Amino acid sequence: MKKAIDKVLRKLSGRCPQTPFAAEFWDGGVKHYGQGFGKFKIVFRSEAAVKKILRGGSLVFGEEFAVGNIEVSGDLQAMLGMYDQWQNVGGRIGFRATVRILWNQMISRHTIAGAKSNVRRHYDIGDRFYSIWLDPAMTYSCAYFKNEGDPLETAQNNKYEHICRKLRLKEGESLVDIGCGWGGMMFFAAKKYGAKCVGYTLSKNQYEHIQRKIKSEGLESLVEVRLEDYCKAQGLFDKFVSIGMFEHVGKRYQKKFFDVAKKILKPRGIGLLHTIGNDLDKPTDPWIERYIFPGGYIPPLGMTVESMAKAGMVYYDIEDLRVHYAKTLDAWIANFENNLDRIKDVLAADLKDRKKAENFIRMWRLYLNGSAVSFKNGGNRLYQILFTNGVNNNLPLTRDYMYSV
């Protein structure tokens, strides 16, 4: 088995000569690959773990990493940046792993009942966990860095301001937020613009957090949250926004999403979709599908705008904030790593098991760093797509209104 993994690592090094690294094996032996100072060291704690990952692909690699059978010291993102090449040299995924992947995809299919379960598995981990490494508004989506050194909180408020300007939001207008998270967009729009906001979420934690904040800030007349699936959204709104939720809709239900948007957005009303996209139409990584975002799907831009058009929406401005999401993820990672003791204590209490807490931390370290790599060097994009419900010929001729004070 040691010869088999060494052969794979030598091929990997040959395809990525710019990334020298070392490997430590279960018998204590260490081998270096590539020229120069190693950017990371990968440690294989057991021969059994290596046997599994050679036939199980990213799903098994993530599982073995989470339980500590594989460790990485040094630059984790450099290691993850070699993942695409690993797929080329690591051998074919075995039958049992393939069956597991297909089963996970089947049980994670997006239905109303399934969507509720999928969302709660990710967002109802516990507010205390998220509050440690997100900004004070608990914004779990791409920020907008107007300046290189913007703190995370400033960059998240920049994002909300950028969206409000794109929507040309005005005092007294109604705004619906589909997948409203912990309410950051609604509270910003209500307090700065006087908008009347209604948000939809399937997360019980998020719903209760927003309810408490509405009361504590005296915003009962401007902010409302509903614990319902977006498919059940009611009312008619001047403006529409959805931030970081479309990734949960699923490939089969994109047009359904925009059909709902058309139903609740006034004719010629303006909407904005803030979503991760991909260069290509490809399946979700099986480890992400199983452990992080069950039911998730990252669509290519063309598929999204085609679904918009089929529902009668007219898209008229598209901006890619890819680099901004990479910076956001690096800020989250820094907060995460700088607060590991607090995170471990909180998770140990919430999960009632310190070992599970340690495994969870390793899992999320892999997820956050892998996401950062995908935005820096992979196919992931972050699109803000402005659209109108039907043709609207009364829009500004230039983008000046988005940026001028």
Side-chain angles (χ1 to χ4, degrees):
M1 193 52 60
K2 190 173 180 179
K3 288 183 178 180
I5 189 63
D6 175 62
K7 182 179 179 180
V8 169
L9 294 177
R10 282 189 283 110
K11 287 182 178 179
L12 189 63
S13 178
R15 288 174 176 260
C16 304
Q18 74 283 1
T19 310
F21 63 95
E24 180 178 331
F25 303 98
W26 52 92
D27 60 3
V30 176
K31 189 163 184 178
H32 295 268
Y33 299 86
Q35 301 296 319
F37 179 76
K39 294 188 177 182
F40 64 88
K41 180 172 75 172
I42 184 166
V43 181
F44 301 104
R45 292 294 182 196
S46 75
E47 186 175 10
V50 170
K51 186 176 181 179
K52 289 178 183 178
I53 67 170
L54 285 175
R55 299 305 303 273
S58 66
L59 175 61
V60 174
F61 182 92
E63 291 173 340
E64 296 300 306
F65 186 94
V67 298
N69 289 336
I70 298 170
E71 296 180 4
V72 176
S73 60
D75 191 341
L76 178 58
Q77 290 190 21
M79 187 277 287
L80 293 169
M82 302 171 78
Y83 172 73
D84 286 343
Q85 293 302 321
W86 173 276
Q87 297 291 84
N88 294 327
V89 303
R92 298 184 62 183
I93 296 177
F95 175 75
R96 292 178 65 184
T98 301
V99 170
R100 286 187 64 202
I101 291 167
L102 293 173
W103 173 252
N104 290 333
Q105 291 173 347
M106 185 176 73
I107 64 175
S108 298
R109 289 178 64 184
H110 187 101
T111 62
I112 290 180
K116 184 179 293 186
S117 173
N118 291 341
V119 167
R120 290 183 175 176
R121 280 176 59 189
H122 189 90
Y123 294 101
D124 286 353
I125 295 165
D127 287 359
R128 293 195 301 165
F129 166 68
Y130 286 104
S131 69
I132 294 171
W133 53 276
L134 295 179
D135 68 300
M138 302 274 282
T139 307
Y140 188 32
S141 55
C142 175
Y144 184 63
F145 293 84
K146 294 177 70 174
N147 302 291
E148 186 69 28
D150 282 344
L152 181 60
E153 181 178 6
T154 299
Q156 292 293 9
N157 284 330
N158 290 344
K159 186 260 300 293
Y160 291 137
E161 175 67 15
H162 196 44
I163 289 173
C164 287
R165 290 189 179 205
K166 286 185 172 185
L167 290 172
R168 303 180 72 206
L169 194 62
K170 299 178 178 63
E171 184 174 359
E173 286 189 323
S174 56
L175 171 69
V176 61
D177 185 348
I178 299 296
C180 60
W182 283 275
M185 178 74 222
M186 294 194 296
F187 288 113
F188 185 93
K191 289 190 283 189
K192 181 163 184 180
Y193 284 85
K196 297 179 179 179
C197 305
V198 176
Y200 284 83
T201 180
L202 284 174
S203 166
K204 188 171 182 287
N205 277 10
Q206 292 177 345
Y207 173 80
E208 292 175 348
H209 173 91
I210 295 171
Q211 290 282 44
R212 291 191 298 269
K213 192 169 181 178
I214 289 170
K215 292 179 181 178
S216 68
E217 299 197 10
L219 291 171
E220 290 88 347
S221 65
L222 291 179
V223 180
E224 178 185 350
V225 61
R226 299 173 184 171
L227 186 62
E228 291 182 332
D229 190 275
Y230 77 92
C231 295
K232 297 182 179 180
Q234 300 293 324
L236 198 59
F237 298 88
D238 297 302
K239 304 292 166 63
F240 173 103
V241 71
S242 184
I243 303 172
M245 177 270 183
F246 192 65
E247 301 91 322
H248 297 281
V249 166
K251 186 174 184 178
R252 295 176 56 198
Y253 296 92
Q254 289 197 34
K255 183 176 179 295
K256 172 68 173 178
F257 177 90
F258 292 114
D259 285 339
V260 172
K262 185 172 184 63
K263 181 184 73 172
I264 62 176
L265 181 61
K266 291 180 179 179
R268 294 177 296 282
I270 301 174
L272 183 141
L273 179 68
H274 174 114
T275 185
I276 299 173
N278 203 294
D279 284 351
L280 302 172
D281 178 13
K282 59 183 183 179
T284 303
D285 177 86
W287 182 76
I288 294 290
E289 171 89 31
R290 175 68 179 86
Y291 292 100
I292 305 297
F293 285 114
Y297 171 70
I298 306 301
L301 178 61
M303 183 182 295
T304 300
V305 296
E306 182 178 357
S307 297
M308 279 186 176
K310 287 179 177 178
M313 298 300 191
V314 179
Y315 56 92
Y316 70 95
D317 187 275
I318 301 174
E319 183 175 15
D320 179 15
L321 301 181
R322 176 185 64 82
V323 175
H324 294 264
Y325 214 161
K327 289 178 65 63
T328 303
L329 282 154
D330 279 344
W332 288 342
I333 291 165
N335 289 346
F336 191 90
E337 297 294 343
N338 290 335
N339 291 280
L340 278 180
D341 289 341
R342 288 180 59 203
I343 290 173
K344 189 178 295 184
D345 289 342
V346 163
L347 288 173
D350 290 346
L351 298 173
K352 298 179 175 57
D353 187 315
R354 199 159 188 85
K355 182 63 176 178
K356 287 183 179 179
E358 292 171 354
N359 292 351
F360 188 93
I361 286 170
R362 283 191 288 265
M363 181 173 71
W364 273 68
R365 180 180 286 128
L366 188 65
Y367 154 57
L368 290 172
N369 281 279
S371 297
V373 170
S374 72
F375 282 99
K376 292 176 182 178
N377 303 309
N380 273 5
R381 306 290 178 256
L382 191 287
Y383 296 116
Q384 286 190 347
I385 308 174
L386 269 173
F387 60 90
T388 56
N389 186 359
V391 174
N392 185 338
N393 292 323
N394 296 317
L395 299 170
L397 294 176
T398 73
R399 283 179 166 180
D400 289 349
Y401 71 98
M402 297 182 189
Y403 306 105
S404 58
V405 178

